[in-house]
Amino acid sequence: DGGITQSPKYLFRKEGQNVTLSCEQNLNHDAMYWYRQDPGQGLRLIYYSQIVNDFQKGDIAEGYSVSREKKESFPLTVTSAQKNPTAFYLCASSVLAGGHTGELFFGEGSRLTVL
Amino acid sequence: GQQVMQIPQYQHVQEGEDFTTYCNSSTTLSNIQWYKQRPGGHPVFLIQLVKSGEVKKQKRLTFQFGEAKKNSSLHITATQTTDVGTYFCAIRANDYKLSFGAGTTVTVRA
């Protein structure tokens, strides 16, 4: 079945460590996104990419990095520079219709806890 | 950047009652999308509104886009326990970037 796969589902990290969250999609979507969700809050955009080898910062990019070497993959690295990394991370993808974003399809999320 | 205010933040509803959640923007929107996130789950797309004054229905859910395209509402009639979750609106900040409201979290009293 087509969809978006995020891994790991749960991740624990010590302070000062970098961690990479995986996001893979087989929907043949051009655009991919990373959002962060904190308890009781909405989704805040970290990075997005509409084409391979290109990506843009979202609203809260500091302390994060991404790559888009393949159309189907958009991994997110949470670096030690991110001051408050404990959160629920959601990856999404969409088609680009007429140069605009369509509906977002989300993965099941990765819950990161920094100990 | 372009932002959208979503109210109320929390909605406690008696089963069988109706309720409405609202999204308001200070600027004219090209379109607006609505998503639902069940507890412990991920957001799922519900609908997109594009035209001024547009009204769309999905069973007990009615979505409306304001005439000025600056606000939108989601009205749920005869609330059921399956309606529990958080409802988000999302607006396009540029061609590729979607910004989400803070969401309305709905709980239902049986």
Side-chain angles (χ1 to χ4, degrees):
Chain A
D1 287 356
I4 300 177
T5 302
Q6 287 186 240
S7 63
K9 192 169 184 179
Y10 298 96
L11 185 62
F12 297 88
R13 183 194 98 176
K14 292 182 179 180
E15 281 192 19
Q17 289 181 336
N18 291 356
V19 61
T20 297
L21 308 180
S22 170
C23 179
E24 303 278 331
Q25 55 101 357
N26 60 4
L27 300 168
N28 199 33
H29 286 172
D30 289 305
M32 296 188 75
Y33 308 80
W34 275 104
Y35 286 90
R36 168 180 171 143
Q37 187 174 33
D38 293 285
Q41 297 190 26
L43 284 69
R44 293 184 290 168
L45 183 63
I46 305 172
Y47 269 98
Y48 61 106
S49 165
Q50 59 262 36
I51 196 170
V52 175
N53 292 323
D54 190 29
F55 47 83
Q56 285 74 41
K57 292 182 179 180
D59 300 317
I60 55 165
E62 185 175 353
Y64 300 98
S65 66
V66 293
S67 63
R68 187 85 186 277
E69 298 177 0
K70 299 186 296 182
K71 185 177 183 179
E72 57 270 22
S73 179
F74 193 40
L76 173 74
T77 296
V78 185
T79 75
S80 57
Q82 168 51 234
K83 298 304 179 188
N84 186 20
T86 295
F88 188 48
Y89 291 89
L90 287 158
C91 179
S93 70
S94 72
V95 298
L96 294 178
H100 299 299
T101 301
E103 67 178 272
L104 297 188
F105 292 79
F106 284 88
E108 295 190 348
S110 294
R111 192 168 299 278
L112 172 63
T113 302
V114 174
L115 304 174
Chain B
Q2 200 171 16
Q3 293 184 338
V4 61
M5 292 291 295
Q6 197 167 351
I7 54 172
Q9 185 176 2
Y10 298 98
Q11 184 81 54
H12 308 290
V13 187
Q14 180 71 41
E15 189 174 16
E17 291 184 342
D18 303 351
F19 76 90
T20 303
T21 177
Y22 302 89
C23 278
N24 299 308
S25 171
S26 59
T27 59
T28 302
L29 304 171
S30 56
N31 62 35
I32 192 164
Q33 297 180 355
W34 285 89
Y35 292 78
K36 177 183 178 180
Q37 184 177 21
R38 294 183 185 276
H42 58 278
V44 175
F45 175 81
L46 294 176
I47 209 158
Q48 176 168 276
L49 305 173
V50 179
K51 299 178 182 177
S52 168
E54 188 171 15
V55 178
K56 289 188 176 180
K57 292 187 177 183
Q58 291 180 350
K59 297 183 180 179
R60 295 178 296 101
L61 277 61
T62 301
F63 303 85
Q64 187 164 3
F65 205 6
E67 293 290 342
K69 299 182 71 173
K70 289 186 176 182
N71 54 67
S72 180
S73 64
L74 161 58
H75 180 79
I76 299 182
T77 59
T79 304
Q80 299 178 358
T81 55
T82 54
D83 297 322
V84 164
T86 301
Y87 295 83
F88 294 99
C89 60
I91 63 172
R92 183 185 298 158
N94 60 32
D95 284 349
Y96 308 111
K97 177 182 173 182
L98 273 180
S99 293
F100 283 75
T104 294
T105 298
V106 177
T107 55
V108 178
R109 299 188 300 272

